[in-house]
Amino acid sequence: MTSKREVLISGGGIAGPALAYWLGRYGFAVTLVEKAGGLRGGGYPIDVRGTALEVVRRMGILPRLRAAHVDMHKFTFLDVAGDEVAVVDPRLIDGSVAGQDLEVRRGDLAEALHAAVGDDVEFVFGDSIATMTETGQGVDVTFASGRRRTYEVVIGADGLHSRTRESVFGPEDRFHHYLGHCFAGFTMPNILGLAHEGVLWSTPGRAAVLYAAGDGDEVHGFLNFAREDPPFGAFRDPAAQRDLVAATFADAGWRVPDLVAAMREADDLFFDTVSQIRMPAWSSGRVALVGDAAYAPSFLTGQGTSLALVGAYMLARSLAVHPGHEEAFAAYERDTREFVTLNQAHVDGGGSVMFPATQEAMDRRDAMLRDLTADPVPMERPAHSALTLPGVAGEPADGGGRWSFHTVPAGERS
């Protein structure tokens, strides 16, 4: 009997479990290591759109995600005084398609992925990769716990600040493309009694958001601000992060002081830059990257989760189809890169329509918002649907047996 090909995945967020599912389905022996002590629940809402919807359908978790869909009714924009600028249908902002695209809490997706994987994968929580040494036969891995094991290949699915990427490809600043904004996210009391809606207050270069995914006592708070350079000194210092955000919004009006106070007290503060990861290659030797570790598009695109799901599917299929890792990694990148590039291009130049950095840009945004009165016009092939998935390897084609890529004219990208 031929022994199973052993794969190690580092990262238990979205891309890691999705990849684990498909590799397990293809008969690989998969170990997934995650430094957190267990599955991470809760979290902010994320989007699943276009090609990624077909991925979750093939995984059998689409009905579960449909049931968990966050149905946002409206988004209200406020000016510096807290007065209403516009109230719009959220679909007019994010380009989502009613009845098709999904918005779910990140934890709901993570739980669905974990449940789909089942017992086919070895999950190791509370541990991480300490060292990797590539040999002719595989990758010798030593874990932080002291365990040692050899794998045919190692896949980094450990996010924007990937330690796997750093150890194999070099420092993050080689690939980190800063888009000029920082943000802090946290949960806080529902001080405005919001239900299935969002409120955004902004001045040039600063924005405060309250996002009620349901009608409960808590909402998601976000404080976003423009900054010329990334605050590298604050990345691993939560106290410095809180001080930076508080100082940036010190003179802000409306209910922003309440958000700052909640941010100070939050036990789930998530602070980061708005950035992309752009790499000339997603693999080196027997190590490859997937999801944000390889091609984070930033939350401004709304496509991070979808790219992670699609990338995981494409990487697993390439490994299943090609017996050698070099050929498999090359096929994964060849067939997926243009889709990634199209979606990253949503924010070329670093500008953000929703978070303008100048008064002129804010005036343009507000005028645009006031004109958003009609339902969105469906685009023939928006960027998030540009890649048609190939069929599941080894199974009869179900209409997706051959992959194709649809180039989207610049004026039609969403």
Side-chain angles (χ1 to χ4, degrees), residues 3-40:
S3 60
K4 290 186 174 182
R5 298 165 65 186
E6 293 196 69
V7 178
L8 173 64
I9 302 170
S10 176
I14 300 300
L19 178 64
Y21 169 86
W22 288 108
L23 288 176
R25 183 164 166 175
Y26 288 135
F28 288 78
V30 183
T31 300
L32 188 150
V33 62
E34 165 57 47
K35 65 180 180 181
L39 190 65
R40 296 173 179 174

Side-chain angles (χ1 to χ4, degrees), residues 126-131 142-147:
D127 206 352
S128 59
I129 297 173
T131 64
T142 301
F143 295 89
S145 62
R147 284 196 318 141

Side-chain angles (χ1 to χ4, degrees), residues 144-164:
S145 62
R147 284 196 318 141
R148 296 186 178 186
R149 198 156 150 190
T150 299
Y151 299 89
E152 180 179 328
V153 294
V154 175
I155 309 298
D158 45 350
L160 178 69
H161 305 299
S162 169
R163 294 298 181 91
T164 308

Side-chain angles (χ1 to χ4, degrees), residues 207-242:
V209 182
L210 290 172
Y211 196 94
D215 55 4
D217 295 331
E218 285 191 330
V219 297
H220 299 282
F222 296 92
L223 292 166
N224 182 88
F225 57 97
R227 181 183 169 93
E228 185 175 352
D229 299 309
F232 290 113
F235 282 157
R236 290 183 171 85
D237 186 345
Q241 295 167 9
R242 296 178 199 271

Side-chain angles (χ1 to χ4, degrees), residues 113-235:
L113 292 170
H114 191 271
V117 171
D119 299 327
D120 295 334
V121 170
E122 177 189 6
F123 282 87
V124 180
F125 291 103
D127 206 352
S128 59
I129 297 173
T131 64
M132 292 185 290
T133 303
E134 185 170 335
T135 69
Q137 290 69 46
V139 183
D140 296 335
V141 178
T142 301
F143 295 89
S145 62
R147 284 196 318 141
R148 296 186 178 186
R149 198 156 150 190
T150 299
Y151 299 89
E152 180 179 328
V153 294
V154 175
I155 309 298
D158 45 350
L160 178 69
H161 305 299
S162 169
R163 294 298 181 91
T164 308
R165 184 186 61 234
E166 182 178 24
S167 65
V168 175
F169 297 86
E172 181 177 313
D173 58 13
R174 295 181 184 176
F175 316 109
H176 185 119
H177 184 73
Y178 179 55
L179 296 176
H181 293 260
C182 301
F183 70 96
F186 46 92
T187 55
M188 62 175 288
N190 189 356
I191 58 176
L192 297 182
L194 303 176
H196 299 279
E197 62 184 301
V199 177
L200 185 150
W201 168 97
S202 57
T203 63
R206 296 184 297 177
V209 182
L210 290 172
Y211 196 94
D215 55 4
D217 295 331
E218 285 191 330
V219 297
H220 299 282
F222 296 92
L223 292 166
N224 182 88
F225 57 97
R227 181 183 169 93
E228 185 175 352
D229 299 309
F232 290 113
F235 282 157

Side-chain angles (χ1 to χ4, degrees), residues 105-406:
R105 291 178 176 86
R106 188 179 187 280
D108 289 337
L109 176 57
E111 290 170 4
L113 292 170
H114 191 271
V117 171
D119 299 327
D120 295 334
V121 170
E122 177 189 6
F123 282 87
V124 180
F125 291 103
D127 206 352
S128 59
I129 297 173
T131 64
M132 292 185 290
T133 303
E134 185 170 335
T135 69
Q137 290 69 46
V139 183
D140 296 335
V141 178
T142 301
F143 295 89
S145 62
R147 284 196 318 141
R148 296 186 178 186
R149 198 156 150 190
T150 299
Y151 299 89
E152 180 179 328
V153 294
V154 175
I155 309 298
D158 45 350
L160 178 69
H161 305 299
S162 169
R163 294 298 181 91
T164 308
R165 184 186 61 234
E166 182 178 24
S167 65
V168 175
F169 297 86
E172 181 177 313
D173 58 13
R174 295 181 184 176
F175 316 109
H176 185 119
H177 184 73
Y178 179 55
L179 296 176
H181 293 260
C182 301
F183 70 96
F186 46 92
T187 55
M188 62 175 288
N190 189 356
I191 58 176
L192 297 182
L194 303 176
H196 299 279
E197 62 184 301
V199 177
L200 185 150
W201 168 97
S202 57
T203 63
R206 296 184 297 177
V209 182
L210 290 172
Y211 196 94
D215 55 4
D217 295 331
E218 285 191 330
V219 297
H220 299 282
F222 296 92
L223 292 166
N224 182 88
F225 57 97
R227 181 183 169 93
E228 185 175 352
D229 299 309
F232 290 113
F235 282 157
R236 290 183 171 85
D237 186 345
Q241 295 167 9
R242 296 178 199 271
D243 289 345
L244 173 61
V245 175
T248 301
F249 288 88
D251 62 346
W254 185 58
R255 304 300 295 270
V256 177
D258 295 323
L259 273 79
V260 172
M263 180 271 302
R264 284 283 196 190
E265 299 298 324
D267 60 7
D268 63 348
L269 175 65
F270 180 73
F271 176 90
D272 212 335
T273 59
V274 180
S275 305
Q276 294 184 342
I277 295 297
R278 300 181 183 178
M279 303 185 68
W282 300 339
S283 65
S284 176
R286 293 180 177 270
V287 179
L289 304 173
V290 68
D292 281 356
Y295 35 78
S298 89
F299 81 81
L300 296 179
T301 69
Q303 280 295 91
T305 299
S306 292
L307 290 186
L309 291 167
V310 173
Y313 179 94
M314 298 296 285
L315 174 55
R317 188 181 189 281
S318 292
L319 284 166
V321 169
H322 303 286
H325 66 276
E326 293 180 348
E327 188 178 4
F329 291 161
Y332 156 59
E333 184 162 347
R334 180 192 67 233
D335 296 345
T336 314
R337 180 174 282 277
E338 192 171 354
F339 178 64
V340 166
T341 301
L342 260 182
N343 283 280
Q344 286 188 325
H346 289 191
V347 291
D348 268 357
S352 169
V353 174
M354 290 300 106
F355 302 107
T358 67
Q359 186 61 53
E360 182 181 6
M362 177 162 288
D363 291 341
R364 287 197 302 269
R365 183 206 67 178
D366 291 349
M368 176 199 71
L369 291 171
R370 294 186 184 101
D371 289 339
L372 290 178
T373 57
D375 287 336
V377 177
M379 289 173 286
E380 184 178 353
R381 294 298 305 183
H384 59 247
S385 300
L387 175 64
T388 300
L389 291 180
V392 177
E395 295 186 3
D398 58 357
R402 296 173 60 191
W403 81 274
S404 59
F405 188 85
H406 303 267

